[in-house]
Amino acid sequence: TRRIVGIEALLRWPNRDGPLLRPELFIPAAEDCGLIPQFTQYVLERVAIDAPRLVAIHPDAYVSINLSSVDLHSEEIVASLKKLLQTRGIEPRNIIVEATEHSLLDPTRARTIVASIRELGIRVAIDDFGTGYSSLSHLATLRTDYLKIDKVFIDTVETDSVTSQVALHVIRLAESLDLKIIGEGVETEVQASFLSEHGVQFAQGWLFHEAMPFEKTL
C-alpha cells in the first residue's frame, strides 16, 4: 500500500574527511574491540529519545533495532529493552529487534534470550536470512515473528541469475513457519511487484525512502 509502518535505526560513523562510514566498515572493527554492547546501548538511548516523537504521529509505527551475537547471548539486553519500554510514549508494539543468522551461532542460548524478549511483547525478526550459518532446524525451533529476505536475493528476482528463485523459496519457507515477511533492499518497481504478487506483506528499500537522519522522517 506504500503506507509507512515502521523505520529501522541505523548507525553511520562521522568521517571528517568525507562521507559517513557505513556499518560494514566499522562494525567488524567494533566487534574486534569488544565495543558492540556500547553501540547497542547508544542506539537504545537514541530510540528512547526519538521513538516517542514518531509514535506521537504514527501510534502503531515501530522502530526496529539490530542486535548482535553478543547481545543475543546476554541477559543484559533483556534488562535494557525492559528499561526502554518504561519510556513514556513507547509501547511494546512500537519496538522490533532484528537478529542476523550470524548472531544465532549458539542457538540454544539465543533461543532463551529471544523468548525473554518476546515475553516483553517485543517482536523479533530474523535479518539477512539466507546469508548466515543457521540451519532450518534452528529456524524452526526459534520462535520469531518476521523473516527478512536479504537484498542479495531481492536483487536477482525476475532475472536470469542462478539465485533468482531463492527469494520465492524463502517466502514459501516463511509461510510454512507462519512468519510475516519483509523484503529488504527493494530498489525497483519490478522487485516490489514481485514481492506483492507472492504475498510478501512488507518491504523496505530506496524505492520507498533512502536512509536519512531521523528529523527527515517526521
Side-chain angles (χ1 to χ4, degrees), residues 166-177 181 197-199:
V166 172
L168 189 57
H169 293 313
V170 174
I171 292 169
R172 298 296 170 251
L173 172 63
E175 290 175 341
S176 70
L177 296 172
I181 313 166
E197 290 168 4
H198 289 89

Side-chain angles (χ1 to χ4, degrees), residues 76-91:
E76 292 183 9
I77 189 60
V78 180
S80 295
L81 289 169
K82 186 179 297 185
K83 180 180 178 182
L84 176 63
L85 293 180
Q86 294 172 355
T87 304
R88 184 175 181 178
I90 297 179
E91 300 291 337

Side-chain angles (χ1 to χ4, degrees), residues 49-63:
I49 295 170
D50 294 337
R53 300 169 60 196
L54 174 70
V55 172
I57 302 172
H58 305 287
D60 293 324
Y62 67 79
V63 177

Side-chain angles (χ1 to χ4, degrees), residues 32-200:
D32 290 342
C33 297
L35 292 175
I36 290 299
Q38 288 93 318
F39 277 41
T40 300
Q41 189 59 41
Y42 172 79
V43 172
L44 292 175
E45 290 172 357
R46 289 304 317 175
V47 169
I49 295 170
D50 294 337
R53 300 169 60 196
L54 174 70
V55 172
I57 302 172
H58 305 287
D60 293 324
Y62 67 79
V63 177
S64 65
I65 302 167
N66 293 280
L67 300 183
S68 71
S69 57
V70 175
D71 297 320
L72 284 170
H73 297 132
S74 171
E75 291 285 352
E76 292 183 9
I77 189 60
V78 180
S80 295
L81 289 169
K82 186 179 297 185
K83 180 180 178 182
L84 176 63
L85 293 180
Q86 294 172 355
T87 304
R88 184 175 181 178
I90 297 179
E91 300 291 337
R93 70 174 183 272
N94 302 130
I95 302 296
I96 290 179
V97 297
E98 300 186 12
T100 64
E101 288 185 86
H102 176 73
S103 66
L104 304 173
L105 290 180
D106 183 349
T108 301
R109 181 60 175 159
R111 190 178 302 122
T112 300
I113 301 300
V114 167
S116 296
I117 291 173
R118 294 183 81 239
E119 286 176 1
L120 296 175
I122 294 175
R123 292 164 292 173
V124 178
I126 300 298
D127 193 15
D128 300 338
F129 182 75
T131 63
Y133 310 103
S134 68
S135 68
L136 293 181
S137 63
H138 292 159
L139 182 63
T141 58
L142 187 69
R143 296 291 302 276
T144 57
D145 304 278
Y146 295 89
L147 194 64
K148 299 186 73 174
I149 308 174
D150 188 77
K151 174 177 165 48
V152 68
F153 303 124
I154 299 297
D155 283 344
T156 61
V157 300
E158 305 288 15
T159 71
D160 294 329
S161 170
V162 294
T163 61
S164 62
Q165 294 299 306
V166 172
L168 189 57
H169 293 313
V170 174
I171 292 169
R172 298 296 170 251
L173 172 63
E175 290 175 341
S176 70
L177 296 172
D178 197 26
L179 298 172
K180 292 185 173 66
I181 313 166
I182 304 172
E184 58 182 346
V186 177
E187 297 182 351
T188 69
E189 290 290 350
V190 169
Q191 294 167 350
S193 296
F194 173 89
L195 294 173
S196 179
E197 290 168 4
H198 289 89
V200 174

